[in-house]
């Protein structure tokens, strides 16, 4: 596993980070499903991938709870660290200063930790950018936590590129986490990552499989980026699969290495919720992708991704609502 500096944060990350949005999802406390999820968490915590990404709201808190139980089980054998995110109030949608502080307290209680190194501002869609960045707002609260030494680095973690760009351009964040927008089929985060790099920020690229279809293939009927994949995108992925097969490389390996090989990305976050998937990830990581495959994939031309148009529409809606 290649290790790298996370921008100018002074922190080091591995080229892979484990994403746990599905870990422990819908498992009940004390159930066999919870016990299995804790076994998986323990494998993550003692495995070769040095960082685990979670959030206050993944599985309504179950991801953090299961990771906390895993940490308690493995004790000093833990080799991986945990990064988490603050989330809006699940009932009211409130996402001001008090909610940020409360969210972080909840996360630490579930994880059984007294701090984490990296804390992201997650999916701030229930507040406007102006509200979040106003004095005494959510972003101030994150800055307060960093200034007090309660965390080392604060990040912005969300989807739409226009919104992400606004947050990056505040210069207040140390790290950016984008998802589904820097993959084999979507390059819309490229300018965002370039700007983050220019500012010395760390860059996490999440969801290199588009949340599934780039690992499972065009016939899987998987969505891309949590929305239905349009037929033209499915057709493009089917062609890419053939090109990959011609070069003896699984589509999933090409999708993973697209992100791993980019100088714009410090760490690629992959969603994993079982031990077999972890083993498959390590095997995909070990695949050598010939340069000729990248040339051949470029030859397919740009993929018809649905997210850029959706992001632009979201930005227009947000402007109209102001
Ligand atoms: N706003 C944010 O901050 C944000 C947003 C999105 C994601 N993230 C983070 O990034 C992580 C990754 O995102 P993601 O999970 O949505 O997308 P992803 O990593 O692109 O895809 C994960 C999916 O790919 C499938 N998969 C993984 N390995 C596979 C393999 N070897 N063969 C076939 N299928 C495979 C898994 O399906 P199975 O269910 O079949 O195992 C899993 O559901 C999340 O867990 C989260 O930590 C953060």
């Amino acid at each position: 596993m290649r290790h790298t500096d996370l921008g100018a944060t002074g922190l080091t990350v591995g080229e892979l980070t484990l994403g746990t949005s599905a870990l422990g999802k819908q498992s009940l406390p004390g159930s066999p499903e919870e016990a299995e999820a804790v076994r998986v968490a323990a494998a993550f915590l003692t495995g070769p991938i040095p960082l685990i990404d979670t959030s206050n709201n993944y599985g309504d808190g179950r991801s953090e709870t299961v990771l906390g139980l895993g940490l308690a089980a493995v004790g000093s054998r833990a080799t991986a660290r945990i990064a988490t995110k603050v989330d809006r109030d699940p009932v009211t949608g409130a996402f001001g200063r008090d909610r940020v502080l409360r969210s972080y307290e909840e996360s630490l209680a579930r994880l059984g930790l007294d701090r984490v190194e990296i804390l992201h501002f997650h999916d701030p869609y229930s507040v406007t950018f102006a509200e979040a960045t106003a004095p005494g707002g959510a972003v101030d609260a994150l800055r307060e936590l960093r200034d007090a030494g309660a965390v080392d680095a604060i990040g912005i973690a969300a989807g739409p590129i226009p919104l992400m760009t606004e947050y990056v351009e505040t210069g207040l964040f140390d790290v950016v986490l984008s998802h589904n927008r820097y993959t084999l089929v979507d390059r819309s985060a490229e300018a965002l990552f370039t700007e983050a790099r220019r500012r010395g920020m760390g860059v996490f690229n999440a969801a290199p499989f588009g949340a599934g279809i780039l690992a499972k293939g065009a016939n899987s009927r998987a969505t891309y980026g949590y929305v239905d994949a349009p037929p033209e995108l499915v057709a493009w992925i089917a062609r890419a699969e053939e090109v990959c097969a011609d070069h003896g490389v699984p589509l999933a390996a090409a999708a993973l290495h697209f992100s791993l090989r980019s100088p714009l990305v410090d760490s690629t976050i992959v969603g994993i919720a079982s031990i077999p998937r972890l083993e498959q990830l390590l095997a995909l990581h070990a695949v050598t992708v010939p340069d000729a495959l990248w040339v051949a994939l470029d030859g397919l031309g740009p993929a018809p991704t649905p997210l850029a148009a959706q992001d632009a529409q979201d930005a227009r809606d947000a402007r109209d609502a102001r």
Side-chain angles (χ1 to χ4, degrees), residues 8 37 102 125 175 193:
R102 181 87 198 113
Y125 308 138
V175 174
F193 286 171

Side-chain angles (χ1 to χ4, degrees), residues 19 21 53 58 122-123 179 206-207 209-211 216 226 271 277 280:
S21 48
D53 178 77
Y58 286 164
H122 189 211
D123 290 352
H179 62 88
F209 300 143
K216 297 174 198 289
Y226 323 114
R277 284 281 190 246
Q280 288 162 3

Side-chain angles (χ1 to χ4, degrees), residues 17-23 52-55 58 85 120-125 156-159 164 177-181 183 205-217 225-226 252 268-274 276-281 284:
T17 292
L18 288 167
T20 58
S21 48
L23 183 69
I52 299 173
D53 178 77
T54 185
S55 189
Y58 286 164
K85 313 187 187 81
H120 300 280
F121 188 32
H122 189 211
D123 290 352
Y125 308 138
I156 173 68
M164 293 290 278
L177 186 166
S178 166
H179 62 88
N180 291 290
R181 288 162 177 82
T183 69
N205 185 37
F209 300 143
I213 194 167
L214 296 177
K216 297 174 198 289
Y226 323 114
T268 300
I269 309 181
V270 184
I272 295 290
S274 71
R277 284 281 190 246
L278 174 62
E279 287 163 356
Q280 288 162 3
L281 175 63
L284 291 171

Side-chain angles (χ1 to χ4, degrees), residues 2 15-16 180-190 193 205-210 214 224 236 244 249-268 270 284-285 287-290 293-295 297-298 301-303:
R2 185 168 52 81
E15 59 185 324
L16 282 174
N180 291 290
R181 288 162 177 82
Y182 196 65
T183 69
L184 266 190
V185 302
D186 190 318
R187 315 275 160 99
S188 52
E190 192 168 324
F193 286 171
N205 185 37
F209 300 143
L214 296 177
Y224 182 83
W236 192 100
C244 286
V249 173
L251 175 71
L256 181 67
H257 284 267
F258 169 82
S259 180
L260 292 177
R261 75 198 283 266
S262 170
L264 292 175
V265 175
D266 290 319
S267 189
T268 300
V270 184
L284 291 171
H285 176 251
V287 170
T288 302
V289 179
L293 176 57
W294 303 119
V295 176
L297 286 170
D298 280 347

Side-chain angles (χ1 to χ4, degrees), residues 12-300:
T12 301
V13 287
E15 59 185 324
L16 282 174
T17 292
L18 288 167
T20 58
S21 48
L23 183 69
K25 206 171 180 174
Q26 290 169 348
S27 67
L28 294 173
S31 66
E33 291 77 18
E34 179 187 74
E36 174 56 18
V38 173
R39 198 173 74 86
V40 174
F44 289 1
L45 286 161
T46 53
I49 298 178
L51 188 66
I52 299 173
D53 178 77
T54 185
S55 189
N56 181 295
N57 77 352
Y58 286 164
D60 295 327
R62 294 298 291 155
S63 170
E64 287 183 335
T65 299
V66 161
L67 286 168
L69 293 169
L71 272 170
V74 304
S76 60
R77 286 190 297 119
T79 47
R81 296 159 294 153
I82 295 176
T84 193
K85 313 187 187 81
V86 293
D87 280 285
R88 72 191 85 147
D89 183 288
V91 178
T92 64
F95 215 168
R97 176 182 178 277
D98 290 354
R99 174 57 201 163
V100 166
L101 301 180
R102 181 87 198 113
S103 178
Y104 187 40
E105 277 170 22
E106 287 172 2
S107 293
L108 294 180
R110 290 182 193 132
L111 292 167
L113 293 173
D114 56 14
R115 77 193 299 277
V116 294
E117 293 169 343
I118 304 166
L119 185 66
H120 300 280
F121 188 32
H122 189 211
D123 290 352
Y125 308 138
S126 61
V127 284
T128 63
F129 173 77
E131 287 166 340
T133 53
V139 175
D140 257 5
L142 284 159
R143 203 160 39 163
E144 227 176 285
L145 287 169
R146 184 182 55 196
D147 290 350
V151 300
D152 295 318
I154 56 175
I156 173 68
I161 298 297
L163 181 68
M164 293 290 278
T165 305
E166 282 193 286
Y167 279 107
V168 163
E169 287 176 348
T170 62
L172 299 173
F173 291 90
D174 309 298
V175 174
V176 65
L177 186 166
S178 166
H179 62 88
N180 291 290
R181 288 162 177 82
Y182 196 65
T183 69
L184 266 190
V185 302
D186 190 318
R187 315 275 160 99
S188 52
E190 192 168 324
L192 176 78
F193 286 171
T194 304
E195 179 58 15
R197 271 268 175 275
R198 195 185 68 73
R199 292 171 174 275
M201 294 173 70
V203 175
F204 286 104
N205 185 37
F209 300 143
I213 194 167
L214 296 177
K216 297 174 198 289
N219 285 331
S220 65
R221 294 169 174 262
T223 54
Y224 182 83
Y226 323 114
V227 294
D228 285 340
E232 58 276 19
L233 177 59
V234 175
W236 192 100
I237 294 169
R239 287 203 303 280
E241 251 176 297
E242 286 167 18
V243 171
C244 286
D246 289 346
H247 290 78
V249 173
L251 175 71
L256 181 67
H257 284 267
F258 169 82
S259 180
L260 292 177
R261 75 198 283 266
S262 170
L264 292 175
V265 175
D266 290 319
S267 189
T268 300
I269 309 181
V270 184
I272 295 290
S274 71
I275 291 171
R277 284 281 190 246
L278 174 62
E279 287 163 356
Q280 288 162 3
L281 175 63
L282 296 175
L284 291 171
H285 176 251
V287 170
T288 302
V289 179
D291 287 344
L293 176 57
W294 303 119
V295 176
L297 286 170
D298 280 347
L300 293 178

